[in-house]
Amino acid sequence: MKIAKEWKEYKILDMAEGQKLEKWGEVILSRPDPQIIWKEKSCPKKWKDINATYHRSKTGGGSWEFKKKMPKQWQIKYKNLTFNIKPMGFKHTGLFPEQAVNWDWMIEKIKNSKKDVKVLNLFAYTGGATVACLYAGASVCHVDSSKGMTTWAKENVISSGLQDRPVRFIVDDVVKFVNREIRRGNKYDAIIMDPPSYGRGAKGEVWQFEDNIYDLVNLCTNVLSDKPIFFLINSYTTGISNKVLADILNLTVNKKYKGKIESGEIGLPMEDSSLVLPCGIYGRWEN
């Protein structure tokens, strides 16, 4: 497992009873996580000082309970990157801090490349990977079907002082966009994708991870440059093994471009503890 342990402004303070107690800058949130199935709190006193708790509803969804005053939006830094944080629907804050391990990897790959790198970031959300790649010196095409998330990504780019770097923001269904890029003959040196388990495109197109991921990865091989540097798949889909992502990359990208494939889990450490929270899986191809 790759553990995101280089954060200074984000911490997991404790985990118990299906909730993780997190510190985002100066704001402390309690949010649900299905992996936390134990009941014992390691630091019971820390749970007394919470800004907001997200409560899941038995009928689906849930809501925030605000316990003490806190900003509607604030910023946290990861190394030289700055992100805007705010509590939103379905427990999210606009950032997945465990992805820092992938940001570090991308930055290193781009900086070590001896050429101008063009990156395609699909299902790009609020642009964590977009910010990282721009910082590393790449140009980025950021694609997401949500106009609101794309606006948030633009704010993150500005907050990180990267607004003058070459970036395109596209609000569209990713499959339709990639097909258009194939017709245009556009090519990319690196592709990142973080597809949801289930979702809908800009015009209601249905996405189902198990049904569509192989076809999308295979499609994306048609927009890779002659000498690509990496292809990264992230997933939070329950029941999918990281080995499945490795196998998909082996059957698609690695058929065209012989390289190295790696897959595994990503996680977050708990402060002052040996406990680690598993947060998702990744599959990486690199040249």
Side-chain angles (χ1 to χ4, degrees):
M1 178 183 286
K2 295 193 180 296
I3 302 170
K5 53 191 175 186
E6 295 189 44
W7 278 97
K8 299 287 191 291
E9 298 188 10
Y10 170 86
K11 295 175 182 176
I12 293 182
L13 304 176
D14 200 1
M15 303 184 280
E17 298 178 317
Q19 296 282 123
K20 55 185 172 184
L21 185 67
E22 307 166 292
K23 190 172 185 182
W24 297 80
E26 297 304 314
V27 177
I28 298 176
L29 304 177
S30 172
R31 297 191 297 155
D33 192 292
Q35 298 280 1
I36 305 169
I37 60 174
W38 56 92
K39 296 179 180 179
E40 183 181 351
K41 293 176 179 175
S42 299
C43 311
K45 290 181 180 179
K46 291 183 179 180
W47 295 82
K48 295 177 181 178
D49 185 27
I50 297 177
N51 292 92
T53 300
Y54 188 89
H55 298 287
R56 272 241 170 90
S57 168
K58 291 180 181 177
T59 56
S63 60
W64 287 96
E65 176 191 1
F66 295 96
K67 301 190 174 185
K68 57 190 280 194
K69 192 174 181 180
M70 59 178 280
K72 289 184 178 179
Q73 180 171 317
W74 66 101
Q75 294 182 337
I76 66 168
K77 283 183 173 291
Y78 179 74
K79 298 181 179 178
N80 294 304
L81 315 179
T82 301
F83 301 104
N84 296 281
I85 306 299
K86 57 187 172 187
M88 52 191 289
F90 194 64
K91 78 176 183 176
H92 291 275
T93 61
L95 193 70
F96 292 89
E98 62 274 10
Q99 288 298 328
V101 295
N102 283 324
W103 304 335
D104 287 340
W105 178 76
M106 292 176 220
I107 289 169
E108 182 182 11
K109 293 292 294 179
I110 292 167
K111 284 190 170 182
N112 288 341
S113 176
K114 293 180 169 60
K115 61 178 181 178
D116 294 331
V117 177
K118 289 179 64 180
V119 176
L120 178 60
N121 187 10
L122 302 174
F123 307 99
Y125 193 52
T126 59
T130 295
V131 170
C133 292
L134 289 173
Y135 169 76
S139 62
V140 181
C141 182
H142 172 114
V143 186
D144 196 278
S145 64
S146 167
K147 187 176 180 180
M149 294 302 103
T150 304
T151 298
W152 197 334
K154 291 177 182 177
E155 293 169 0
N156 284 333
V157 168
I158 293 168
S159 295
S160 293
L162 301 169
Q163 61 271 21
D164 295 329
R165 302 288 174 93
V167 58
R168 283 197 301 157
F169 292 100
I170 308 292
V171 178
D172 201 355
D173 173 74
V174 298
V175 175
K176 288 185 176 179
F177 178 78
V178 172
N179 274 309
R180 284 205 308 275
E181 291 293 86
I182 293 169
R183 293 195 294 271
R184 292 169 182 146
N186 287 338
K187 301 289 184 179
Y188 297 89
D189 305 299
I191 295 178
I192 303 157
M193 61 174 68
D194 197 345
S197 301
Y198 176 85
R200 289 190 177 273
K203 295 183 180 177
E205 302 89 347
V206 175
W207 166 272
Q208 189 81 37
F209 187 92
E210 296 88 342
D211 295 338
N212 301 121
I213 184 63
Y214 173 82
D215 290 339
L216 177 60
V217 175
N218 200 35
L219 186 69
C220 285
T221 62
N222 295 295
V223 293
L224 283 171
S225 64
D226 292 339
K227 294 182 179 179
I229 61 170
F230 68 81
F231 197 120
L232 170 67
I233 309 170
N234 294 305
S235 178
Y236 294 90
T237 301
T238 304
I240 297 294
S241 165
N242 60 272
K243 183 63 171 67
V244 171
L245 303 184
D247 288 345
I248 289 171
L249 288 169
N250 205 14
L251 291 165
T252 55
V253 181
N254 212 48
K255 265 191 177 178
K256 279 190 168 184
Y257 313 89
K258 295 302 179 186
K260 174 186 168 187
I261 294 173
E262 177 190 359
S263 68
E265 290 184 277
I266 54 175
L268 288 164
M270 187 175 117
E271 184 182 46
D272 301 325
S273 170
S274 61
L275 299 183
V276 174
L277 180 65
C279 297
I281 58 174
Y282 71 90
R284 297 171 177 173
W285 174 94
E286 59 183 297
N287 64 356

